[in-house]
Amino acid sequence: ARLADQWPRPLSVDRAMAELWPDSDEGGGRNNLNSAVSTLRKILRAGEGSFDPLLRTPETLQLNPDQPVWHD
C-alpha cells in the first residue's frame, strides 16, 4: 500500500525500512525489505511474463510507472 500511495514517485529504501521495521538494525531491515520485495514481485508478476512491476535502485523502490494499473 505504501508504494501505491507514493506512486509514481520512488520511495526511499531507508524510509521504507524505518516505517516497516522501526526496531530493526540496518542489516535486519535491509534483509526484511529484500524478502518483502521478492515476495511482492512474485505476486505482481503473476501471469505477466518477464515484466518487472517494481523498480529498485540501491536508494529507492517504486512501482513501475509503465505497469498497467487498474483501480476503482
Side-chain angles (χ1 to χ4, degrees), residues 39-70:
T39 299
L40 188 56
R41 275 193 170 118
K42 288 175 188 173
I43 292 167
L44 294 175
R45 267 192 189 152
E48 296 298 323
S50 63
F51 183 82
D52 194 348
L54 298 174
L55 301 180
R56 173 95 188 257
T57 70
E59 295 85 25
T60 65
L61 176 65
Q62 76 181 100
L63 291 173
N64 190 333
D66 294 331
Q67 178 172 322
V69 176
W70 180 89

Side-chain angles (χ1 to χ4, degrees), residues 26-48:
E26 184 176 347
R30 195 164 298 279
N31 286 338
N32 290 340
L33 184 64
N34 289 340
S35 178
V37 166
S38 177
T39 299
L40 188 56
R41 275 193 170 118
K42 288 175 188 173
I43 292 167
L44 294 175
R45 267 192 189 152
E48 296 298 323

Side-chain angles (χ1 to χ4, degrees), residues 5-17:
D5 182 52
Q6 191 78 14
W7 189 82
R9 298 176 316 275
L11 177 65
S12 157
V13 166
D14 291 335
R15 184 169 184 170
M17 291 187 305

